[in-house]
Amino acid sequence: MLERIKAALPALPPAEQRVAKLLLADPRSFANLPVSELADRSHVSKPTVVRFCRSVGYDGLADFKLKLAGSVNEGVPFVHRAVDEDDKPGDLIVKVVDNAVAALLHYRNDAASHAFERAIAALSETARQRQRIEFYGVGNSGIVAQDAQHKFFRLGANTFACADGHVQLMSATMLGPGDCAVIISNSGRSRDLMDAAEIARKKGATTIIITASGSPLAQMGQLPGQVLLAVDHPEDYDRYSPMVSRLLHLIVVDVLTTGVALRLGEHLRPMLQEIKRNLRTKRYAQ
């Protein structure tokens, strides 16, 4: 949570930057002080404190302080235990699992619920109207995009996944108002994905961007009408395969899928049961 706010600091208005600096200087006190005292110490108005909380992805001061208290008091340390060449299989098991668990717990505390609310609402309406939901990613993120397409396809949504930059640009060009483009990127610096996101936005589609906060792609997700689902982690994706980021992105997809399934209602259950029956019959017939 604190790393994400630190990354977002340069993009904040000057008054909100003062609130952010107060927070980063003493997070524990920030979580416990009343809004009037926070405003006085930051030399800003009380509404500015609330605006800061919303600017960094939370519903308001109460939601922000709840997540902050969990982050500073729960004591979930994120120590990225990088593997070494002489590690034995037992060491690898402990390090890889510990890294994944720590990252997931941190993300649970950092995730902005109001951004998920907006993303789920947009995806649900698009699915309900039988318009297009498209998932774009490259490399590892392309695999996550395929997983997302598979999950939403089972909800009866009109979906498409693509990992090819040229096809992404062509497909984004064919989007329109009411459609959704979900852009997934570990680094947030892929030129192809940035171009696809910009085209989709200009065509009137809602872009839902899953990437690292503070990245160029994340900044596009903060434009009006778009949604940023920030996912941050200390993983060195230049040196190792981005395992932790892939797990976090898959978790985001699972949250979105579950939220949309609940929004679409009970009529989904008979269809899912019929799919399961048909698959079971095909498997046993062979």
Side-chain angles (χ1 to χ4, degrees):
M1 182 176 186
L2 297 178
E3 288 300 318
R4 189 173 78 191
I5 293 169
K6 193 179 298 182
L9 187 61
L12 295 173
E16 292 180 23
Q17 285 187 18
R18 292 200 290 274
V19 181
K21 289 175 182 176
L22 177 68
L23 161 69
L24 294 172
D26 191 354
R28 198 176 298 275
S29 294
F30 194 100
N32 296 312
L33 289 173
V35 64
S36 56
E37 179 114 8
L38 294 173
D40 288 343
R41 293 191 182 192
S42 304
H43 306 292
V44 299
S45 66
K46 288 188 282 188
T48 299
V49 176
V50 177
R51 279 198 301 273
F52 158 75
C53 297
R54 290 178 177 153
S55 294
V56 294
Y58 297 88
D59 292 338
L61 182 61
D63 179 50
F64 181 84
K65 291 175 76 170
L66 181 64
K67 297 289 179 60
L68 178 63
S71 179
V72 299
N73 294 328
E74 192 174 74
V76 180
F78 196 112
V79 179
H80 193 280
R81 304 175 64 186
V83 296
D84 299 314
E85 292 180 0
D86 58 351
D87 280 342
K88 297 178 180 178
D91 299 323
L92 295 178
I93 292 170
V94 171
K95 288 184 177 182
V96 172
V97 172
D98 281 359
N99 286 345
V101 170
L104 292 172
L105 290 175
H106 266 270
Y107 185 69
R108 181 194 65 185
N109 292 335
D110 287 354
S113 59
H114 93 281
F116 272 95
E117 172 67 27
R118 291 172 55 213
I120 290 169
L123 290 166
S124 299
E125 185 60 23
T126 299
R128 192 176 288 116
Q129 299 300 324
R130 299 292 297 162
Q131 293 189 263
R132 296 167 65 186
I133 299 175
E134 303 204 340
F135 299 93
Y136 304 152
V138 295
N140 245 2
S141 298
I143 297 172
V144 178
Q146 291 176 3
D147 178 75
Q149 189 273 338
H150 174 72
K151 287 185 168 72
F152 275 79
F153 168 77
R154 293 177 69 245
L155 300 181
N158 180 14
T159 65
F160 171 72
C162 180
D164 181 278
H166 290 86
V167 178
Q168 287 169 357
L169 295 183
M170 290 187 287
S171 193
T173 303
M174 293 185 282
L175 295 176
D179 295 326
C180 283
V182 182
I183 318 291
I184 307 165
S185 175
N186 178 32
S187 67
R189 299 180 183 280
S190 166
R191 185 72 258 173
D192 286 345
L193 291 177
M194 292 169 64
D195 289 343
E198 179 65 11
I199 291 170
R201 184 185 68 83
K202 287 182 176 178
K203 298 297 289 188
T206 298
T207 59
I208 299 169
I209 296 178
I210 304 171
T211 193
S213 61
S215 66
L217 194 56
Q219 293 173 10
M220 298 175 71
Q222 294 173 313
L223 295 173
Q226 316 310 307
V227 183
L228 170 63
L229 299 177
V231 179
D232 295 307
H233 52 86
E235 188 170 64
D236 183 359
Y237 54 84
D238 289 327
R239 183 177 176 187
Y240 300 110
S241 174
M243 296 176 287
V244 171
S245 66
R246 186 183 69 248
L247 291 175
L248 292 172
H249 291 165
L250 289 169
I251 285 290
V252 171
V253 168
D254 283 350
V255 173
L256 294 175
T257 306
T258 303
V260 171
L262 292 172
R263 290 286 183 94
L264 295 182
E266 286 295 314
H267 77 277
L268 274 178
R269 188 170 298 172
M271 181 181 67
L272 293 175
Q273 290 173 341
E274 184 177 1
I275 290 173
K276 192 173 294 185
R277 281 197 306 270
N278 289 339
L279 289 173
R280 189 183 300 119
T281 301
K282 178 177 173 61
R283 189 182 307 124
Y284 291 155
Q286 293 174 344

